[in-house]
Amino acid sequence: MTDQQWDTLSIQAVSAAGVVYFLALLAYSAQWAARRGAVEGEGSARAEVFARFAFLLTVVAGGVHLLALVARGFAADPNRVPWGNMYEFTLTATFVVTLVTVLFFRRWNLAFLGPWAVGLVMVVLMLDVVWLYEPIAPLTEALSSPWLVIHVIAAITATGVFTLGGLVSILYLLRESGRLSSLPAADVLDRISYRLHAFAFPIWTFAVLIAGPIWAHQAWSRYWGWDPKEVWAFITWVVYAAYLHARATAGWKGRAAAIVALVGLGTLWFNFIGINFFFGGGLHSYAKP
Amino acid sequence: MSSVREKPQGPAQGNERLPGELTLRELLRWTWRQLTSMRTALVLLFLLALAAIPGSVIPQTSVDDFAVKQWKADHTRLGPIYAKLGMFEVFSSPWFSAIYLLLAVSLVGCILPRTRVYWRALRAAPPTAPRNLTRLPDSAAFATEEAPEVVLDRARALLRKKRYRVVAGGDAVAAERGYLREAGNLLFHIAVLVVLAGFAIGSLWGYKGGVIIAEGSQFSNTPTQYDDFTPGKLTKASELDPFRLQLDRFDIQWLFDGPRKGMARKFVAGLTWWDSDGTKRTDDLKVNHPLSIGGTDVFLIGHGYAPVLTVRDAEGNVAYSGPTPFLPQEQRNFTSFGVVKVPDAKPKQIGLQGLFLPTYNGDPLNSAMGKDLNPLITMQAYVGDLGINGGVPQSIYSLDTSKMKLLAKPGGKMFRVDLKPGQSVDLPGGNGSVTFEGVKPWVRLEIAKKPGTWLALSGAIMALLGLCGSLYVRPRRLWVRAVRSADGETLVEVAGLDRSARSDLTDDLTAFVAALQGAATTDITTNGSAGAAGAAGVQEDQ
C-alpha cells in the first residue's frame, strides 16, 4: 500500500469508528429505554441483550479506532509512531479511554460507564477531526528518538486514564447529590474513580518526571527547564498528588477530593490544548518546523 | 510577657493565663503539628501549583532571556514591579522557594513519625483474631467433618504460600500481608526529597552556556569563550573542566523532494577534542546524542552559515579576515542576518550589516532554500566609530550606527556589498574593499554541567517504585477460627480485612474458603456483598 492509501484508510477508519461509536450509543439508549419501559421480566431481558450488543459495538469501534491509528503511522514517510501532533495525540488518548473501558469492563463492573465513555470518546473524536486535524508530516530531527515513543505513549496513556477517571468523578458528584439513581452507589463510583487515578498517576509520573527529562536532556541539553509545557505537567502532577492525599484526609474525602481530581483533569487538558494555542507550546511545539 | 511559665494546668486554673495563650514550647509544638498535618500539606501542594502558574504565563529569564527583555520593553509600568516580585525568575524566587521548603519540612515531619510506627508494626505479630469473626464485613463460615487442627494447619500452609505472615494461637490463625505498602509510601516521600536535593545541587553548582563555532575553529572551556554563560549560584568559573574542542566539519542532508522538501536531516558535527590531560579524540556529535567530556555534556542545538570575508582598509591593509557567523532568521530557508565589525580599519573603522542568502534566486530578501547552492551576501557598509572602545559591552550581532556614516555611491545613489564567493568590491570614497572568500558552516553548541543529575534520576525512579508499592500493594488481614461444636462437627469461621482503598477482598476470600474446605463440606454461609461494593465499610488508611 502507498502512503496515500494508508492516509485515506486512516481517515476513513476514523469516520467509521465514529459511526460505530454512535451505533453503540444508540444500543445503550435502547437498553436504557427497555429497562425503563418494562417493570420486570421481559423488558430487563431485552435490556440485557441491548447491553451486550452495545458492548460488542464498542469493541468493534475500538478495533476500527486502532486501525485508524496504525494506518496513520504507516501513512508517514518514514513510517513512525502516530504521536507527532495534537490530532494524533487525541486520536490515541481517546483510544486509550475505549481500551481501558473494555479491558476493565468485567473486572471492575464498568457496565454503567459504557454509554458515558462511548459518548465522551465520540464527541472528543469529532472535535479532534474538526479542530485539530493536521495532514500527515514527518517528525523533526529532535523528535525522532526512542524516548519520544516512551515519553509520549506514557503521557497519552495517563491522559486517557485520567480522563476516564475524571468522567467517573463527575458521575460520582452527580450520584452523590442524588441524581442518576440508576448508577452504582456513590462510594462504588468513588472507589472506581480512585482506582483509575491510582492507575494513571504512576504512569504520569514516569512520563513527565522520568522519560520526559531523559529525552529533554538529550535533545535540549537540560532535563528540566520550566518550559510552559513542563510547568503545567508539574502543576498537573502536584494537583493529582493532592487528590491522592485528599482522599485520605478527613474533611476532604468524597466531594472535595472529586473536585480536586477534576481540577487536575482541567490542568491536564489545558496543558495539552491551551498551552499550544495560547503560549505557542515553547519547545513542545510538536512537528511544526 | 514573661518567658518562664509553669506547666500548663488547663484553662480553668491558669489564673494568669489568658484563654488561648501558649508557652513558647506549646507554640512550637502547635506550629510543628500544624505544619506537618495533612491539611497543611494539601494547602501547600495547591499553593505550589498556583505559584507555578506565573512561570508559564510571564517570560522567564532562565527560559528565554530575550523574551523577558522584550516583555519589559512592552510593559514599562508593570515591568519594574514584576521584576521586584521575582516574576521573571519565579522558580528561584523567595516565595516559590518558601512553599517548597515548607513542603519539604512538612514531608520530613510526616516521614519521621511514620517510619517509627512502621518499624514497630514490622516487628509486631499480626493482631489476634477478634472474638466474633462473622461480624466483620467480609466473612464466611462453614462446617466440616475434619478436626479443627487439620483445618488450621491447612489454613496456615495456604496463607504462608500466599506470603502472609502467620501466627497461630489457640483455636485461631491470624495472618497479615502487604507490609510493602507503607514501605512504598515512605520510599516515595523520601525519594521526593532526594529529587529535590539532586535538582538543587544541579542548579547551585552547575552551569550552562552556548557558543557558536565555525568549521575549522576552536573553543576552550572558559567562561570568556562563551557567547552566553549561566553559572549556578555557587559555580566557580575557575573550576570548569579544561577541555578544548574543534569543529572539523559539519554534514547535513537537505531534502530535495517529499513532504519535507527544503528541510534538513541527519546533522552531524565532526569534532576533535582534547580533554584536561591533553588526550586527543575525535567524535561525531548528533542531535539527541550529546557528547560527554568528563562530567560535562556537549549538545548540538543549531547550525547556520558563516561567510568568510576579507576587509581591506583605506590604506590597503587587511584589517579583517575570517568566517563571521550569520544568524538564520528563517529556519525554512536559512536567510541569515549578520554584522561584520572591523575595528582595526584605518583611518576610519568599517562596519557591514546585511543578509546572507544560501540560495540566491533573484529575490534579494529571501533565499530559495536552506542549502548553499548559490550563496550571496547583500550588505550595507558604514564607516566611522563602531563605539566599541567606550567599554560598554556590545552584541556582536548588532551594529551601533549612531556614530557611523552609511556609504553611498558618488552622486548619492545606494551602495550595497552584493557579492558571490570569490568576488570583491571596492568601497566608495576609497574606504577600502570587501572580498567574499567563501562559506563555512557553523554549529551552535550548548555546553552544560549539571552535578546531581544522577541523584535526581535515581530519586525519580525510587519515587515511582515507592508510588507503585503504596498504590498497588494491598495490605490484608485474615483470620481463621476452627472450633468443634456440640454435634461433633467442626465449625470454621474466616474473616478478612482490607486495609487499603481497594476492595477485591470478597472474591479472594471466597477462593480462600474454597481452598480451605478441601473435600469435606457441608453448608457455607458467606457475609459481605458481592463485587465492588464488597468492602464498603472497610476503613481506609493512607
Side-chain angles (χ1 to χ4, degrees):
Chain A
M1 274 173 83
T2 65
D3 289 345
Q4 189 57 49
Q5 283 168 320
W6 280 115
D7 195 24
T8 314
L9 177 65
S10 172
I11 292 168
Q12 284 169 343
V14 171
S15 315
V19 169
V20 184
Y21 279 126
F22 181 67
L23 291 178
L25 205 56
L26 280 184
Y28 275 121
S29 325
Q31 177 212 359
W32 179 76
R35 210 170 41 194
R36 271 210 132 185
V39 191
E40 273 301 310
E42 195 196 334
S44 65
R46 221 170 49 205
E48 184 59 26
V49 171
F50 281 129
R52 276 162 190 271
F53 192 51
F55 179 70
L56 191 72
L57 282 171
T58 310
V59 173
V60 171
V64 182
H65 199 154
L66 180 64
L67 177 68
L69 274 175
V70 173
R72 179 83 181 179
F74 279 115
D77 178 37
N79 291 345
R80 62 172 170 84
V81 287
W83 307 318
N85 54 42
M86 287 162 76
Y87 168 73
E88 294 169 3
F89 189 102
T90 311
L91 198 63
T92 315
T94 42
F95 173 70
V96 170
V97 171
T98 309
L99 187 69
V100 171
T101 313
V102 168
L103 285 184
F104 291 90
F105 199 81
R106 291 187 69 119
R107 237 186 106 179
W108 292 0
N109 282 308
L110 294 185
F112 74 93
L113 192 57
W116 303 94
V118 168
L120 178 82
V121 167
M122 198 186 77
V123 170
V124 175
L125 210 53
M126 237 151 58
L127 297 178
D128 188 30
V129 171
V130 173
W131 278 341
L132 300 176
Y133 181 79
E134 275 178 51
I136 190 99
L139 297 178
T140 53
E141 184 92 358
L143 289 176
S144 39
S145 149
W147 284 104
L148 164 83
V149 182
I150 298 167
H151 164 68
V152 180
I153 189 59
I156 292 178
T157 308
T159 302
V161 182
F162 273 139
T163 305
L164 202 58
L167 180 67
V168 181
S169 287
I170 294 174
L171 295 179
Y172 160 78
L173 285 175
L174 290 170
R175 183 77 174 85
E176 202 250 350
S177 63
R179 267 161 290 211
L180 299 175
S181 52
S182 60
L183 289 180
D187 62 330
V188 175
L189 292 177
D190 183 44
R191 208 170 303 114
I192 292 175
S193 158
Y194 168 74
R195 282 179 165 193
L196 288 166
H197 285 106
F199 178 52
F201 188 71
I203 303 177
W204 183 250
T205 305
F206 174 73
V208 304
L209 298 182
I210 295 178
I214 290 176
W215 182 33
H217 171 75
Q218 292 181 352
W220 303 324
S221 78
R222 82 288 184 295
Y223 62 88
W224 191 270
W226 299 112
D227 171 87
K229 206 98 188 168
E230 290 169 355
V231 173
W232 280 88
F234 171 75
I235 291 174
T236 302
W237 190 83
V238 168
V239 174
Y240 276 121
Y243 163 76
L244 292 180
H245 283 94
R247 228 181 148 274
T249 309
W252 284 83
K253 256 180 220 170
R255 252 194 114 69
I259 290 169
V260 175
L262 290 177
V263 171
L265 189 62
T267 62
L268 180 70
W269 280 89
F270 175 76
N271 190 16
F272 168 50
I273 306 250
I275 290 293
N276 288 42
F277 278 127
F278 302 130
F279 301 93
L283 286 166
H284 284 82
S285 50
Y286 302 119
K288 294 205 181 77
Chain B
M1 251 174 55
S2 67
S3 57
V4 183
R5 287 190 182 277
E6 291 173 12
K7 269 188 167 181
Q9 301 184 338
Q13 289 164 318
N15 35 2
E16 281 183 44
R17 289 177 63 169
L18 299 167
E21 201 181 9
L22 298 171
T23 64
L24 185 65
R25 220 177 123 199
E26 284 171 320
L27 186 71
L28 283 176
R29 185 186 290 168
W30 180 83
T31 315
W32 179 251
R33 284 242 177 90
Q34 289 300 310
L35 187 60
T36 54
S37 80
M38 187 79 107
R39 246 160 245 263
T40 312
L42 266 178
V43 171
L44 285 172
L45 277 174
F46 286 126
L47 276 178
L48 190 67
L50 273 179
I53 293 176
S56 71
V57 182
I58 301 164
Q60 299 293 300
T61 313
S62 61
V63 178
D64 192 346
D65 195 23
F66 181 74
V68 172
K69 289 193 178 113
Q70 191 67 42
W71 200 94
K72 281 181 178 164
D74 294 345
H75 303 76
T76 44
R77 274 179 56 197
L78 270 181
I81 301 173
Y82 276 24
K84 214 164 248 176
L85 290 174
M87 285 294 187
F88 301 114
E89 288 101 20
V90 166
F91 302 104
S92 51
S93 69
W95 42 276
F96 191 81
S97 315
I99 298 170
Y100 72 73
L101 287 177
L102 280 175
L103 250 178
V105 173
S106 160
L107 215 62
V108 172
C110 166
I111 293 168
L112 289 179
R114 283 180 73 153
T115 310
R116 211 163 42 226
V117 171
Y118 180 59
W119 179 244
R120 270 196 229 118
L122 256 189
R123 291 185 302 170
T128 47
R131 202 170 333 144
N132 199 338
L133 284 180
T134 45
R135 278 214 192 134
L136 283 165
D138 279 287
S139 60
F142 62 90
T144 169
E145 302 284 330
E146 290 176 308
E149 298 75 38
V150 177
V151 176
L152 289 178
D153 275 349
R154 192 181 302 132
R156 257 205 307 274
L158 276 172
L159 288 167
R160 286 236 168 83
K161 218 159 125 195
K162 290 194 168 182
R163 286 182 300 151
Y164 274 81
R165 183 180 289 185
V166 184
V167 174
D171 58 355
V173 168
E176 183 163 7
R177 73 145 200 227
Y179 290 84
L180 275 179
R181 182 189 183 84
E182 181 64 4
N185 210 338
L186 290 169
L187 179 68
F188 170 76
H189 286 95
I190 293 167
V192 170
L193 293 178
V194 173
V195 173
L196 261 181
F199 196 75
I201 291 171
S203 42
L204 286 176
W205 283 283
Y207 67 86
K208 68 168 186 178
V211 63
I212 284 179
I213 313 176
E215 197 175 78
S217 302
Q218 284 200 3
F219 165 83
S220 301
N221 191 27
T222 49
T224 49
Q225 294 237 329
Y226 282 93
D227 296 339
D228 59 89
F229 184 71
T230 321
K233 282 203 173 71
L234 301 175
T235 309
K236 291 204 183 83
S238 55
E239 287 174 2
L240 266 58
D241 292 340
F243 63 84
R244 197 155 53 89
L245 51 83
Q246 171 180 309
L247 179 66
D248 299 328
R249 64 190 161 78
F250 178 64
D251 297 331
I252 188 166
Q253 214 179 73
W254 292 96
L255 302 173
F256 289 96
D257 46 32
R260 281 205 307 166
K261 189 178 165 187
M263 289 167 73
R265 45 179 277 188
K266 293 215 166 60
F267 316 94
V268 181
L271 294 181
T272 301
W273 54 276
W274 296 263
D275 65 14
S276 43
D277 319 328
T279 317
K280 181 174 151 182
R281 285 196 52 182
T282 52
D283 265 302
D284 280 350
L285 182 63
K286 295 175 196 156
V287 174
N288 278 347
H289 298 279
L291 171 68
S292 203
I293 302 179
T296 312
D297 289 324
V298 180
F299 303 84
L300 175 63
I301 60 166
H303 64 101
Y305 291 105
V308 184
L309 300 174
T310 300
V311 180
R312 290 188 170 76
D313 62 14
E315 296 168 6
N317 299 318
V318 173
Y320 181 94
S321 184
T324 310
F326 278 42
L327 299 182
Q329 296 182 301
E330 297 249 15
Q331 285 298 318
R332 202 162 37 83
N333 57 28
F334 274 77
T335 303
S336 309
F337 176 82
V339 163
V340 178
K341 297 181 189 185
V342 191
D344 298 336
K346 292 189 178 98
K348 286 182 217 159
Q349 292 180 325
I350 299 173
L352 305 171
Q353 72 175 3
L355 297 178
F356 168 78
L357 312 177
T359 301
Y360 173 64
N361 196 15
D363 179 353
L365 293 177
N366 290 296
S367 172
M369 84 171 281
K371 189 172 167 58
D372 51 340
L373 294 175
N374 184 24
L376 175 88
I377 55 164
T378 169
M379 307 180 82
Q380 291 176 314
Y382 294 83
V383 291
D385 182 3
L386 287 167
I388 292 177
N389 307 330
V392 184
Q394 260 189 3
S395 163
I396 56 167
Y397 297 109
S398 71
L399 189 66
D400 178 8
T401 57
S402 57
K403 289 181 198 153
M404 303 195 87
K405 189 178 115 220
L406 178 64
L407 289 179
K409 283 184 187 163
K413 273 207 213 150
M414 191 179 77
F415 168 76
R416 291 194 76 90
V417 178
D418 288 341
L419 297 175
K420 290 186 177 181
Q423 293 180 334
S424 243
V425 67
D426 285 335
L427 298 175
N431 278 304
S433 70
V434 179
T435 310
F436 184 11
E437 313 276 1
V439 183
K440 282 186 172 176
W442 58 254
V443 294
R444 186 176 155 80
L445 302 180
E446 182 96 0
I447 297 170
K449 182 166 187 170
K450 273 249 181 286
T453 301
W454 285 103
L455 193 63
L457 180 64
S458 356
I461 292 169
M462 263 166 64
L464 187 66
L465 291 177
L467 202 55
C468 290
S470 81
L471 291 174
Y472 304 143
V473 171
R474 280 165 280 172
R476 291 272 171 85
R477 282 179 186 161
L478 228 136
W479 297 279
V480 181
R481 175 173 284 130
V483 196
R484 198 176 293 279
S485 63
D487 55 10
E489 279 193 323
T490 299
L491 186 68
V492 185
E493 288 176 356
V494 183
L497 197 61
D498 187 308
R499 304 182 65 226
S500 71
R502 318 173 66 92
S503 65
D504 348 52
L505 188 55
T506 315
D507 292 347
D508 289 6
L509 198 68
T510 316
F512 175 71
V513 170
L516 188 57
Q517 281 167 340
T521 318
T522 39
D523 45 26
I524 312 163
T525 48
T526 39
N527 187 2
S529 41
V538 172
Q539 77 160 51
E540 245 165 46
D541 70 349
Q542 147 64 28

